[in-house]
Amino acid sequence: MKALRFDTLFLLAAVICALAADWSVPSCVLLLSASVYTLANVIPQLWRYYHESKKHPNQ
């Protein structure tokens, strides 16, 4: 089994917390911050993947 990264666990815990707290304001703030943190880690990877695929269009 692949080990989960911190940002994935943080987002999962924030979703569980928001659902358990019936979408209270602090849990929504936690969920938004976890989402932004996850996006900040994913967007550079997608950007690199996009530019690599642009360099090799036949593959």
Side-chain angles (χ1 to χ4, degrees), residues 1-58:
M1 183 177 175
K2 186 177 177 181
L4 293 174
R5 295 181 0 197
F6 173 74
D7 57 345
T8 307
L9 288 174
F10 183 41
L11 184 61
L12 182 64
V15 168
I16 291 171
C17 179
L19 289 172
D22 199 27
W23 298 99
S24 65
V25 173
S27 66
C28 288
V29 169
L30 179 66
L31 183 60
L32 285 173
S33 64
S35 301
V36 168
Y37 182 76
T38 303
L39 280 175
N41 288 331
V42 169
I43 288 175
Q45 294 172 1
L46 292 175
W47 189 257
R48 273 185 252 122
Y49 176 75
Y50 171 73
H51 283 291
E52 286 297 320
S53 67
K54 203 172 178 182
K55 288 180 185 176
H56 308 289
N58 295 335

